Each structure stands twice: as C-alpha cells, then as structure tokens.
Amino acid sequence: MYGHCSIGYLSIMADERTFIAIKPDGVQRGLIGEIIKRFEQKGFKLVGMKFLLASEELLKEHYIDLKERPFYAGLCKYMNSGPVVAMVWEGLNVVKTGRVMLGETNPADSKPGTIRGDFCIQVGRNIIHGSDSVDSAKKEIGLWFKPDELVAYKSCAVDWIYE
C-alpha cells in the first residue's frame, strides 16, 4: 500500500456499479480511448474490462428483454459482427450519470457533449450500451463478468472526487 491507495478496498460511498459496452461500431471507429477517457475524467473507477467477440448466446441473453421487438435478431447479429469492449464502472450514481453521459438511444435526440451526441448519427450505430437501472446493471455485470474478473481497490483520487 502506498499513501491512501490500496487493493482490496471497496468504497462504501461509491460502490454502485454499471455495465458499459462499446459496440462494434465504436470499436471499429477507434473510440475506445475517448469513451474510457470520459468516464475516467468524470471520476468513475474502472473495475473490469474485456475485449471480446460476444457469442450469439450471450447477446441473446443480454437483449432478452427486447426479444419480441422486430429489431431483436438484427441487433444480436450486429453485436456479434465485431469485437466489443465490455466494462464495469463504479461510482456514486454511476448508472444514472452514465446514462446521461451516453445520451439518448437515438443520437438525433442526444445533446452535444454526450457520447452519442458527439459521435453518432443513426440509432442502429449508436456505439455504446449502458445499463438503465441498478438492477439491470447487476444482471448485465453477472452475465458478462465472473466475480473474480472485477477488481476492488481504492483509487488514489477518491478523496479528490468525493467529500
């Protein structure tokens, strides 16, 4: 342990987690670093990350709530068309704030300064997914990550982010 940084420490104030996935269009367009940068600059802590080609089974389960929608099959096929970056971010109100940072599902409705508002044009290529509730975040994190793939630690910056 150096200074106030330590491994194995979970912040009591900021232990809410969200699942964020950079979709194949975001990966192919080279936006991984920019998206990570925005979450880091906001003050959220990255506790898990994978770069993978998601299986059809994983994607069908992830989007199971949309199964009856006409775009379900196409969405699963698209998400399987290239690599994705799956991440778990932690922080106070990270689910709600993360959704604001993403912008609206339809990029045309997203404000400038949001990820979708700055980088997207069409809903079918909206580059990023974010959990829409704490419950869905828990479900999605459990689907994409094993518990031992998430790292618990106290960031050295925690005292400069939280009062």
Side-chain angles (χ1 to χ4, degrees):
M1 180 163 75
Y2 297 99
H4 295 288
C5 302
S6 64
I7 295 175
Y9 174 88
L10 268 179
S11 172
I12 295 168
M13 285 177 44
D15 61 358
E16 183 176 295
R17 289 179 171 176
T18 194
F19 175 76
I20 300 290
I22 303 172
K23 297 177 180 181
D25 51 325
V27 171
Q28 293 292 339
R29 291 180 56 202
L31 297 172
I32 298 168
E34 176 65 30
I35 290 167
I36 290 172
K37 176 183 174 183
R38 288 181 181 217
F39 278 83
E40 286 181 327
Q41 286 181 331
K42 182 69 175 176
F44 294 129
K45 180 173 67 172
L46 183 64
V47 296
M49 183 166 66
K50 293 180 182 182
F51 184 68
L52 72 154
L53 186 58
S55 70
E56 286 183 47
E57 296 77 28
L58 173 61
L59 293 167
K60 285 179 179 178
E61 181 63 26
H62 177 84
Y63 289 113
I64 193 74
D65 295 345
L66 302 174
K67 187 176 181 180
E68 302 304 320
R69 304 293 288 270
F71 57 83
Y72 174 75
L75 175 61
C76 291
K77 182 179 178 185
Y78 171 70
M79 288 294 292
N80 181 250
S81 71
V84 298
V85 177
M87 299 176 284
V88 179
W89 290 90
E90 186 176 277
L92 186 64
N93 298 317
V94 70
V95 173
K96 180 180 177 184
T97 305
R99 293 287 292 187
V100 171
M101 291 170 62
L102 267 56
E104 301 299 322
T105 301
N106 184 347
D109 298 329
S110 296
K111 291 182 172 29
T114 66
I115 292 167
R116 290 176 178 148
D118 289 350
F119 300 114
C120 306
I121 296 172
Q122 286 188 307
V123 70
R125 298 292 183 264
N126 67 5
I127 73 168
I128 195 163
H129 165 84
S131 300
D132 61 6
S133 70
V134 173
D135 287 341
S136 68
K138 288 177 184 173
K139 178 184 163 221
E140 292 170 352
I141 291 166
L143 195 58
W144 289 79
F145 290 87
K146 296 174 188 157
D148 66 351
E149 293 177 313
L150 302 176
V151 180
Y153 66 100
K154 181 180 178 189
S155 168
C156 296
V158 73
D159 294 333
W160 299 108
I161 297 168
Y162 299 103
E163 31 181 14

